Amino acid sequence: MRIVLLGAPGSGKGTQAKRLMAERNIPQISTGDMLRQAAAAGTNLGLRAKATIDAGNLVPDKVVLAIIAERLAHPDAEAGFILDGFPRTTQQALDLEDLLEEMHTPLDAAVLLDVDFDILLKRLTGRRTCSKTGKLLNIYFSPQEEIDECLEAGGELIQRDDDNEETISNRLDVYHQRTEPLIDFYRERGKLLFVDADGPIEDVFERLTEALA
Ligand code: AMP
């Protein structure tokens, strides 16, 4: 299965991609995660990308395309992949189409995770990672026991540098202007699947697997 997960920041792409990866045994490929890892490792690419990420803007198309081309060439992507956070512009979608054509591995579907704007804001402003366990939590939505579990283990609730209100508002604008046109792009190609991504993670996952069946 080769799919793209489309959706605004906070729509749950990363969370659902991880679940799908565990169930289908195919890799989740997240350009955001790879860029953050490069930034944390202090590579040239990472350091250049960090200021852009922290401002909520998009890293140049050529940079992310190179990352994706390299990653898709890994043997574990032969069985399929879940692209999370790529493509984000029409140019990236066209580049991906060319790349997959060269590899003779066309995309099966682009799945839009659709979430109300108010919920997106709470998901983004409330998002935290436990410093001890790495678990993704949300101060508005996670059960109190899960938050206590982190704190009692001596963990702290860490907020992503680009999850502050100013950057969030820019990321949502950038999504609206640059990424939303991809909904029509994939609809025109007959690849678009729509999933209502409001509600508990489990329910969304069930709807996602039904859409992919
Ligand atoms: P994410 O974790 O997917 O929300 O991505 C975090 C940030 O990484 C984005 O706000 C962008 O700055 C950058 N980024 C991730 N994926 C892409 C992409 N496909 N194109 C351009 N920038 C990206």
Side-chain angles (χ1 to χ4, degrees), residues 7-10 13-14 30-36 49-61 63-65 67-68 84-89 92 124 127 160 162-163 167 170-171 174 178-179:
K13 297 187 298 294
S30 156
T31 37
D33 282 351
M34 287 190 281
L35 289 166
R36 275 187 293 278
K50 180 145 175 49
T52 309
I53 296 172
D54 287 351
N57 293 322
L58 293 184
V59 170
D61 290 337
V63 173
V64 279
L65 178 68
I67 295 179
I68 282 288
D84 158 12
F86 179 93
R88 260 177 155 97
T89 65
Q92 291 178 19
L124 289 165
R127 179 156 69 177
R160 255 169 62 166
D162 60 348
D163 273 347
T167 305
N170 190 38
R171 284 161 66 206
V174 168
R178 311 281 312 273
T179 311

Side-chain angles (χ1 to χ4, degrees), residues 11-207:
S11 59
K13 297 187 298 294
T15 303
Q16 297 298 332
K18 283 193 181 74
R19 306 221 36 168
L20 211 52
M21 169 170 77
E23 199 190 82
R24 309 270 169 125
N25 219 8
I26 51 175
Q28 167 208 16
I29 300 182
S30 156
T31 37
D33 282 351
M34 287 190 281
L35 289 166
R36 275 187 293 278
Q37 277 159 16
T43 65
N44 266 346
L45 165 90
L47 294 178
R48 260 183 290 134
K50 180 145 175 49
T52 309
I53 296 172
D54 287 351
N57 293 322
L58 293 184
V59 170
D61 290 337
K62 278 195 180 129
V63 173
V64 279
L65 178 68
I67 295 179
I68 282 288
E70 200 267 332
R71 182 64 187 86
L72 287 179
H74 285 212
D76 67 340
E78 267 171 33
F81 50 78
I82 306 150
L83 293 181
D84 158 12
F86 179 93
R88 260 177 155 97
T89 65
T90 303
Q91 187 57 52
Q92 291 178 19
L94 290 167
D95 289 341
L96 176 67
E97 211 166 45
D98 288 346
L99 182 66
L100 294 180
E101 206 173 291
E102 272 168 36
M103 296 168 72
H104 307 292
T105 52
L107 210 58
D108 294 313
V111 188
L112 174 65
L113 297 181
D114 190 56
V115 180
D116 277 352
F117 189 74
D118 294 356
I119 307 228
L120 283 181
L121 274 187
K122 276 191 149 178
R123 285 200 187 160
L124 289 165
T125 54
R127 179 156 69 177
R128 302 288 186 276
T129 305
C130 177
S131 62
K132 204 85 181 179
T133 61
K135 191 167 177 161
L136 268 182
L137 297 163
N138 188 295
I139 55 169
Y140 301 117
F141 299 119
S142 295
Q144 190 57 43
E145 308 88 73
E146 289 191 9
I147 291 177
D148 290 346
E149 205 179 307
C150 169
L151 300 177
E152 280 159 18
E156 280 178 64
L157 299 176
I158 309 284
Q159 195 170 22
R160 255 169 62 166
D161 288 343
D162 60 348
D163 273 347
N164 61 74
E165 298 222 0
E166 199 186 329
T167 305
I168 286 171
S169 138
N170 190 38
R171 284 161 66 206
L172 291 169
D173 280 352
V174 168
Y175 172 76
H176 178 59
Q177 286 174 24
R178 311 281 312 273
T179 311
E180 243 171 26
L182 296 186
I183 298 173
D184 280 339
F185 178 98
Y186 286 113
R187 187 182 285 125
E188 281 160 16
R189 282 157 175 76
K191 304 242 175 198
L192 188 72
L193 296 174
F194 177 92
V195 170
D196 173 3
D198 273 348
I201 293 170
E202 295 297 329
D203 297 358
V204 176
F205 188 65
E206 210 175 298
R207 291 196 285 271

